[in-house]
Amino acid sequence: MKVAISGAGIAGPTLAYWLRRSGHEPTLIEKAPQLRTGGYLIDFWGAGYAVAERMGLAPALQDAGYAVQEVRLINRSGRKVGGFPVASFRRSFSGRFTSLRRGDLAALIYGAIDGHVETVFNDSIADIEQDGSGAQVTFEHGQCRRFDLVIGAGGIHSPVRALVFGPNAKFQTDIGYRVAAFEAQGYRPRDELVYVAYTEPGHMVARFALRDDRTLFLLVYADDDECSADPKDLDDTKVVLRQAFDGVGWECPQIMSQLDQADDVYFDRVSQITMDCWSKGRVALIGDAACCVSLLAGEGTGLAMLQAYVLAGELNAARGDHRVAFQRYEQLLRPLIAGKQRSARNFASTFAPKTSLGLWTRNQASKLLVVPPLADWIIQREFRDDIELPDYAM
């Protein structure tokens, strides 16, 4: 089948890889002029890691990633007040755990299909007309092409979801936080392989030392106003962040001076996407487009790869009958995703607790992960993926 895939982030290229492996002809459509690089740091484990292993990417993942040693929670003066060793996670997942930039993971996945799958950059899907035998897709730049299936993998702001299922606001739930990430060159101090985070009620500032003398910063702040306007451009984003973090302590003033020099800043609301159905006719959604668990959940990329793998596998098992495959894909994954979303709603507040009591409680609770048996129990209870990866003949 000819399959149009909107979005060349994590889910889209993973789906393209497995569709091609099973004999289909995927076409990736990406609005950006080139593959997006950089991005925030993600922890990668579980079912997503297992999919990456089946794609032969595990050694490259470990090379590109960072063996983070510690999450260190500090106070205004830089004194440690909480945190835990990350070794507990690597032990619990038998070493199948790493931390890396989202863009580096995307580049590794895309590298597995580069030269083998058609990719249309600098364009997007503007219209979809379905009929009994396929879908007529109109591109933003005017081109029209016919496909058997259309898959929306364009993230939380999916254009395919808006075209086929309705306005994004219908499915998006604001969790009450905003998040930003950017990189800087030559920042000091550096704490190698330590994720350092400072929090005061409603605000969190974190830094992590990357290779090549670069530092990644993550900013999270509480904003319960669902009607607050999103920044229009890079300059507006910087203004919004400076206002939000004005008066915040620790290294925040010098971090804000680094923000002024940044030429790329990621900014978004912390949201979830919940839908009654992930497909309609010949169109289906995967990844954040279908069921974003929220950026602060920490596992969205792995779940996106899992969804892509299962959808391709079910299409193969159903011998191309998309109705059967779409239904089976959703039946297999919806219970897992629903559980992850419930956990994520509770977990988001641990990044930037809104009260002093909440902050103190978070810091004390983090120390439980210092005790190995207790850490193992908590990690297995809260972070494991309760699903056995299906074996498909792809």
Side-chain angles (χ1 to χ4, degrees):
M1 294 187 293
K2 295 181 184 294
V3 183
I5 304 171
S6 172
I10 302 294
T14 304
L15 178 63
Y17 174 90
W18 291 108
L19 287 177
R20 179 179 174 273
R21 281 281 298 267
S22 51
H24 299 296
E25 188 179 329
T27 297
L28 280 170
I29 304 154
E30 170 56 48
K31 186 172 185 178
Q34 59 192 15
L35 202 65
R36 301 175 190 268
T37 58
Y40 46 87
L41 199 72
I42 61 169
D43 294 322
F44 191 62
W45 77 91
Y49 197 104
V51 172
E53 284 182 318
R54 295 190 183 187
M55 297 171 71
L57 298 178
L61 274 173
Q62 293 293 339
D63 289 342
Y66 295 85
V68 181
Q69 300 300 303
E70 178 190 358
V71 172
R72 184 182 300 161
L73 306 177
I74 51 98
N75 63 12
R76 182 178 285 257
S77 63
R79 185 175 64 85
K80 182 176 177 179
V81 293
F84 51 88
V86 181
S88 302
F89 285 83
R90 278 190 287 276
R91 183 178 62 250
S92 292
F93 297 116
S94 304
R96 298 161 76 241
F97 177 97
T98 190
S99 302
L100 74 167
R101 294 190 302 178
R102 185 183 185 279
D104 291 341
L105 175 59
L108 287 175
I109 298 169
Y110 188 77
I113 60 171
D114 193 14
H116 303 288
V117 169
E118 178 189 13
T119 305
V120 179
F121 284 108
N122 202 32
D123 213 338
S124 62
I125 295 176
D127 188 51
I128 302 170
E129 293 185 12
Q130 301 187 61
D131 56 39
S133 61
Q136 187 79 6
V137 174
T138 302
F139 288 60
E140 192 175 63
H141 291 167
Q143 181 186 14
C144 289
R145 291 175 60 176
R146 190 163 182 81
F147 295 92
D148 296 292
L149 301 176
V150 179
I151 309 298
I156 196 167
H157 307 292
S158 167
V160 169
R161 187 180 65 235
L163 286 170
V164 177
F165 297 85
N168 287 337
K170 179 180 177 183
F171 310 105
Q172 187 170 347
T173 301
D174 192 330
I175 295 181
Y177 289 90
R178 305 292 177 262
V179 62
F182 69 97
E183 293 182 18
Q185 185 75 37
Y187 183 84
R188 294 295 183 273
R190 284 174 66 87
D191 294 272
E192 303 292 341
L193 300 180
V194 177
Y195 192 86
V196 184
Y198 167 71
T199 312
E200 56 186 60
H203 295 81
M204 189 275 285
V205 185
R207 59 171 164 82
F208 183 78
L210 301 173
R211 299 181 183 95
D212 302 319
D213 201 21
R214 297 190 66 79
T215 298
L216 175 70
F217 299 99
L218 182 71
L219 311 174
V220 180
Y221 68 96
D223 184 354
D224 293 320
D225 184 3
E226 296 184 16
C227 298
S228 61
D230 293 325
K232 300 183 293 294
D233 52 29
L234 178 61
D235 289 337
D236 195 23
T237 298
K238 293 179 180 180
V239 170
V240 169
L241 290 172
R242 281 195 296 267
Q243 290 174 344
F245 286 86
D246 182 39
V248 175
W250 185 51
E251 298 171 9
C252 202
Q254 66 195 75
I255 291 173
M256 289 296 106
S257 69
Q258 295 292 323
L259 173 68
D260 291 338
Q261 304 170 41
D263 55 11
D264 184 32
V265 179
Y266 171 86
F267 182 95
D268 208 348
R269 296 169 181 265
V270 178
S271 304
Q272 289 188 339
I273 297 295
T274 51
M275 305 181 68
D276 293 333
C277 186
W278 298 341
S279 65
K280 182 179 288 187
R282 292 178 172 269
V283 177
L285 303 173
I286 60 173
D288 284 354
C291 51
C292 176
V293 293
S294 91
L295 180 147
L296 298 183
E299 200 182 359
T301 50
L303 293 174
M305 293 183 72
L306 172 64
Q307 288 177 273
Y309 172 80
V310 169
L311 179 57
E314 292 301 329
L315 282 168
N316 189 57
R319 300 182 181 275
D321 187 332
H322 66 278
R323 292 164 297 188
V324 172
F326 289 172
Q327 182 181 35
R328 184 85 180 117
Y329 149 71
E330 193 165 337
Q331 286 175 341
L332 278 171
L333 295 182
R334 184 173 281 278
L336 173 69
I337 299 295
K340 295 290 184 181
Q341 287 188 322
R342 285 192 298 271
S343 296
R345 287 192 290 272
N346 297 327
F347 188 62
S349 63
T350 66
F351 278 83
K354 298 177 182 179
T355 66
S356 296
L357 177 60
L359 177 57
W360 182 86
T361 303
R362 188 277 310 264
N363 291 345
Q364 301 311 307
S366 72
K367 298 175 184 178
L368 297 176
L369 292 172
V370 174
V371 184
L374 188 56
D376 293 346
W377 180 79
I378 293 172
I379 291 167
Q380 288 297 315
R381 180 177 181 272
E382 297 294 333
F383 296 99
R384 76 176 182 191
D385 291 333
D386 195 15
I387 186 171
E388 185 174 344
L389 200 64
D391 285 315
Y392 295 110
M394 292 189 288

